[in-house]
Amino acid sequence: MAPIVAQFASSGKPSDPRQGLLARRMGYAALLAAVVSIMIFSVLALLILLGCLARWRGMRWLSVGAGALAVLLFLLTGCGVLPRVLLQRLESPYALRPALDWAPHNAIVLLTGDSVYVPHDKVEPSMSAYGRITEAAVLYRDCRQAQVACKLLVSGGDPSHMDTTLAASYGAVLGQLGVPAEDLILETRSNTTWQNAQFSRPLLARLDAPRVWLVSSAWHLRRGVLYFGHFGIVATPVRADYLRGQLIGWPSASNFVLADIALHEYLGIARYRVYNLLGWNAPGLPPLPQSAAADAVTKR
């Protein structure tokens, strides 16, 4: 029996060799874009530009200040101080996993990350995705061992245009880990965390599950809970992987990547707040109706 697929889903590897070549080229372009788009580098470049302009205009104090600030920011980021502080503020509320108080009917929502095209094979979840997949599978197993009903909703479209949705590739791995197809629901339209929440709302409403568990990386949960709450989905967050900046005496490229991950989350949260103030967000929705079964919770 095939998993329930919401909206649409395509699967398999690219349909012709040109698509495979395009996918690989897109992968190289995405890698270059990731390096260029690291926000810390952008800030450093602006500080250096400011210092050069100030020196050209004869404003020595501003030139020295901008240069010193750029060096300090580079060292604080590369040596792990800044990413550790930024990530700790994001992740600490979710460090401890919640008690598994199962309701008679439960929905586990898995937020997808990214995928990779494997030459001559297929599109599959990327290396960083398996923590989330494993956590969702373990949560599902525990739910079934408690002898209560459980559905696993995998949310993710095809933002990288690999001809395979994230939900489909993650769902295939979950099936291999023992999650039966009849309990898998694939939401294949969303390309952002906002859309994960938006497109999951009607699917969760049909399930009549009083308890929703939201699985993602610890650094991603704060924004995920915020967006899902906007669409009336009160979810219990469950972390998968957990990141920490590495405190070292010499700048490391990995610390710059971690700082960018954290800044991306803070930017997404700030953008949500600003859009709300300006009325640009979709209207918030009331909480999903709770059935009478919500009071009959199985304590573990």
Side-chain angles (χ1 to χ4, degrees):
M1 183 176 181
I4 301 171
V5 180
Q7 304 301 331
F8 65 88
S10 55
S11 59
K13 55 188 175 184
S15 54
D16 62 64
R18 290 176 299 174
Q19 286 185 300
L21 178 61
L22 177 61
R24 289 193 292 274
R25 287 179 177 174
M26 287 178 64
Y28 302 146
L31 178 61
L32 177 61
V35 173
V36 173
S37 68
I38 290 180
M39 284 177 270
I40 288 293
F41 289 166
S42 300
V43 175
L44 288 172
L46 288 174
L47 286 173
I48 293 171
L49 179 61
L50 176 62
C52 293
L53 290 175
R55 185 177 181 85
W56 178 62
R57 297 296 297 270
M59 304 171 68
R60 180 178 174 81
W61 62 272
L62 181 58
S63 176
V64 172
L69 186 58
V71 172
L72 180 62
L73 180 61
F74 179 83
L75 292 176
L76 287 176
T77 304
C79 295
V81 177
L82 184 61
R84 176 164 288 198
V85 171
L86 292 175
L87 286 169
Q88 200 239 352
R89 290 178 59 86
L90 283 173
E91 297 180 306
S92 57
Y94 313 107
L96 295 178
R97 293 180 173 87
L100 299 181
D101 298 335
W102 299 109
H105 298 274
N106 302 269
I108 300 169
V109 180
L110 171 59
L111 299 184
T112 55
D114 52 10
S115 58
V116 61
Y117 172 71
V118 181
H120 313 299
D121 192 0
K122 60 183 178 180
V123 173
E124 61 184 44
S126 67
M127 178 181 66
S128 61
Y130 283 91
R132 300 186 189 187
I133 293 172
T134 302
E135 188 64 35
V138 170
L139 203 61
Y140 174 84
R141 183 198 63 188
D142 195 280
C143 182
R144 293 306 302 266
Q145 287 178 347
Q147 298 183 343
V148 293
C150 193
K151 297 291 185 180
L152 206 167
L153 169 60
V154 187
S155 178
D158 186 16
S160 299
H161 307 288
M162 292 188 177
D163 201 32
T164 300
T165 63
L166 293 167
S169 60
Y170 283 48
V173 177
L174 286 165
Q176 293 170 351
L177 291 175
V179 180
E182 59 268 21
D183 284 342
L184 271 177
I185 302 173
L186 307 183
E187 184 284 298
T188 59
R189 295 178 59 197
S190 57
N191 291 326
T192 64
T193 305
W194 179 262
Q195 291 179 350
N196 288 149
Q198 184 179 23
F199 298 147
S200 292
R201 161 77 188 216
L203 302 176
L204 292 172
R206 295 174 199 160
L207 292 180
D208 189 28
R211 185 62 57 84
V212 177
W213 307 81
L214 185 65
V215 178
S216 189
S217 304
W219 49 265
H220 185 232
L221 278 174
R222 182 174 173 184
R223 187 159 60 99
V225 169
L226 182 67
Y227 289 2
F228 272 70
H230 181 87
F231 290 101
I233 304 168
V234 180
T236 300
V238 183
R239 73 163 180 88
D241 51 280
Y242 194 94
L243 297 178
R244 291 189 72 191
Q246 183 183 8
L247 296 179
I248 53 177
W250 188 258
S252 167
S254 63
N255 280 328
F256 284 96
V257 173
L258 293 178
D260 192 62
I261 289 172
L263 288 173
H264 179 78
E265 294 303 304
Y266 284 111
L267 182 62
I269 294 168
R271 181 175 57 189
Y272 170 82
R273 307 285 189 197
V274 171
Y275 281 17
N276 259 358
L277 288 174
L278 297 176
W280 292 354
N281 282 332
L285 296 178
L288 288 171
Q290 301 289 300
S291 67
D295 297 327
V297 176
T298 302
K299 298 290 184 181
R300 300 189 70 251

